[in-house]
Amino acid sequence: MSTFTVRPARTRDVRGIQEMLEPFVQRRILLGKDLVVLYEATQQFLVAEDSEGNLVGCGALHVMWEDLGEIRTLIVVDEWLHHGVGRGIVEGLETNARTLGLSRLFCLTFEVDFFSRRGFSPIGEQVVDPDVYSQLVRSPDEGVAEFLDLAHVKPNTLGNTRMIKSL
């Protein structure tokens, strides 16, 4: 297996990100995203590419609040699983989070062991104070609704674990 590099996504990567995402959407592991939504989020993404420039993974950092971000759309193509790609992407996203001044990262995942090894823990009930909750609940973003564990997103997230890490 050759080496890989992790770098910020470019607009030319977006269609490749969507191609990596689609099999996970079909298996109901990740929620689908329209192409326009992916383009709008280009600056949130890091991608991993092999030595020939093929995308082998991606992940995004979405800012949710002053101190809180979410790791979302973390994907590693099957042939590159267990070669450090996911770890490399998460480490890059954590660096970006620290640069932005975030002190906590959230994820919603089936990959509990992977995220546990990276310092994430399952979330308890009260993860933000009531004032912040009252602001976050106004967000139209589905990821924020998942973080808050709102009832209307539960049909899409059954089986996922809400996890958080302090940076």
Side-chain angles (χ1 to χ4, degrees):
M1 182 91 20
S2 57
T3 60
F4 68 93
T5 56
V6 176
R7 62 166 174 79
R10 300 177 187 116
T11 55
R12 71 171 191 239
D13 298 318
V14 170
R15 290 185 188 274
I17 290 170
Q18 189 181 46
E19 287 174 19
M20 285 190 291
L21 177 59
E22 193 55 33
F24 293 92
V25 173
Q26 296 302 321
R27 296 192 319 236
R28 297 179 175 258
I29 294 170
L30 294 172
L31 294 176
K33 292 185 178 11
D34 290 327
L35 201 53
V36 66
V37 172
L38 291 172
Y39 276 114
E40 290 173 343
T42 301
Q43 71 277 10
Q44 297 179 7
F45 275 89
L46 294 178
V47 294
E49 62 183 2
D50 67 15
S51 58
E52 293 158 18
N54 301 305
L55 295 185
V56 298
C58 68
L61 172 65
H62 181 78
V63 175
M64 297 171 75
W65 196 250
E66 178 182 16
D67 64 336
L68 179 66
E70 178 187 6
I71 290 180
R72 53 171 63 168
T73 320
L74 182 63
I75 302 168
V76 176
V77 298
D78 288 343
E79 311 83 71
W80 280 85
L81 289 173
H82 311 294
H83 288 90
V85 175
R87 181 182 65 240
I89 293 169
V90 169
E91 288 172 357
L93 294 172
E94 288 180 0
T95 297
N96 292 354
R98 286 184 187 94
T99 299
L100 290 169
L102 302 178
S103 59
R104 296 184 299 161
L105 283 178
F106 162 75
C107 68
L108 181 72
T109 186
F110 288 107
E111 300 297 333
V112 174
D113 291 343
F114 172 85
F115 280 99
S116 292
R117 288 192 303 271
R118 269 136 209 93
F120 286 77
S121 302
I123 292 179
E125 286 303 305
Q126 190 70 28
V127 290
V128 294
D129 67 49
D131 291 338
V132 173
Y133 182 94
S134 71
Q135 294 295 318
L136 286 174
V137 78
R138 298 176 186 181
S139 173
D141 187 274
E142 288 295 308
V144 174
E146 291 164 348
F147 171 73
L148 296 175
D149 203 26
L150 300 180
H152 76 272
V153 297
K154 288 184 188 290
N156 294 327
T157 61
L158 290 178
N160 286 353
T161 300
R162 297 161 60 238
M163 300 183 81
I164 199 157
K165 175 182 182 173
S166 293
L167 296 176

